[in-house]
Amino acid sequence: MSTISQKICLFGDFGVGKTSLIRRFVESQFSDKYLSTVGVKISRKLVNVSEQDVLSVQDLQLIIWDIEGSNKFKAVAKNYFQGSKGGVIVGDVTQAETLNHIQEHIQTFLAVNPKSYIVVALNKSDMIAAEYLENIRQMYQFTEQANILDTYITSAKTGNNVDKIFQSLATHLI
């Protein structure tokens, strides 16, 4: 069985938890210590993806680009999107401003990669009362747009839906 490699990008505003989501997915760890990403950090993880059509399992090497979220970096970030087959756009459910920027991030990413798939992660769900989370998810549902697979409520701290966002993307990349 051969292994396919695919580049995916995680991006969103500053401080929304992009690095923490990657660390939870790749290393199964979480730290409360804030580490600001400068430029880009690249991680890798091998995932198994079931192919429905042929009933087989394919190994997929995800090459995950963690892209800095500062505003002054936005113009350069587009260069990092080149060649990406998928993206995870991250917003922070405790900061409405970051959620309001998601549509802009979608447009920026798809301008560079119009055939790529996107998953939206509404992160830090452990910090909001559960009864509000579904309403927030409904407000930031972008699936009527081409290429948007789904919106997930995530928490890098608890691990809620972290594997699911990457697995969803991986399944569509095969």
Side-chain angles (χ1 to χ4, degrees):
M1 174 172 36
S2 64
T3 301
I4 298 171
S5 293
Q6 297 286 6
K7 174 182 174 180
I8 64 170
C9 294
L10 256 82
F11 54 100
D13 287 359
F14 179 80
V16 295
K18 299 177 295 290
T19 301
S20 294
L21 285 170
I22 293 170
R23 190 164 188 214
R24 170 61 76 179
F25 177 65
V26 173
E27 303 170 15
S28 298
Q29 294 180 358
F30 176 80
S31 173
D32 282 326
K33 294 180 182 167
Y34 182 75
L35 295 171
S36 181
T37 302
V38 178
V40 66
K41 180 180 185 282
I42 300 172
S43 302
R44 298 171 188 269
K45 181 157 180 178
L46 189 66
V47 295
N48 292 325
V49 180
S50 296
E51 293 183 80
Q52 305 291 356
D53 320 1
V54 289
L55 299 173
S56 67
V57 175
Q58 175 73 49
D59 283 339
L60 177 65
Q61 176 81 32
L62 290 179
I63 303 166
I64 306 165
W65 288 48
D66 180 3
I67 298 175
E68 177 181 342
S70 72
N71 285 334
K72 63 184 176 194
F73 189 71
K74 276 186 180 175
V76 178
K78 292 177 187 176
N79 295 326
Y80 288 125
F81 294 161
Q82 292 290 333
S84 183
K85 299 299 180 195
V88 178
I89 300 177
V90 185
D92 177 345
V93 295
T94 69
Q95 296 181 43
E97 181 179 316
T98 70
L99 301 176
N100 294 333
H101 293 157
I102 290 173
Q103 183 61 52
E104 179 185 336
H105 293 309
I106 289 170
Q107 291 169 340
T108 302
F109 183 73
L110 290 177
V112 177
N113 298 299
K115 294 184 179 181
S116 292
Y117 293 104
I118 293 176
V119 172
V120 176
L122 306 178
N123 200 32
K124 302 187 183 182
S125 63
D126 56 284
M127 299 176 78
I128 295 283
E131 59 266 19
Y132 299 115
L133 291 173
E134 184 55 28
N135 287 341
I136 293 170
R137 191 181 81 76
Q138 290 298 324
M139 287 173 54
Y140 296 97
Q141 191 66 253
F142 301 94
T143 51
E144 74 282 353
Q145 297 178 47
N147 305 50
I148 310 296
L149 300 177
D150 209 345
T151 298
Y152 293 95
I153 298 292
T154 62
S155 169
K157 186 173 189 174
T158 67
N160 183 45
N161 285 331
V162 174
D163 286 349
K164 197 176 243 184
I165 60 175
F166 290 99
Q167 197 66 44
S168 171
L169 205 48
T171 300
H172 283 82
L173 296 180
I174 287 291

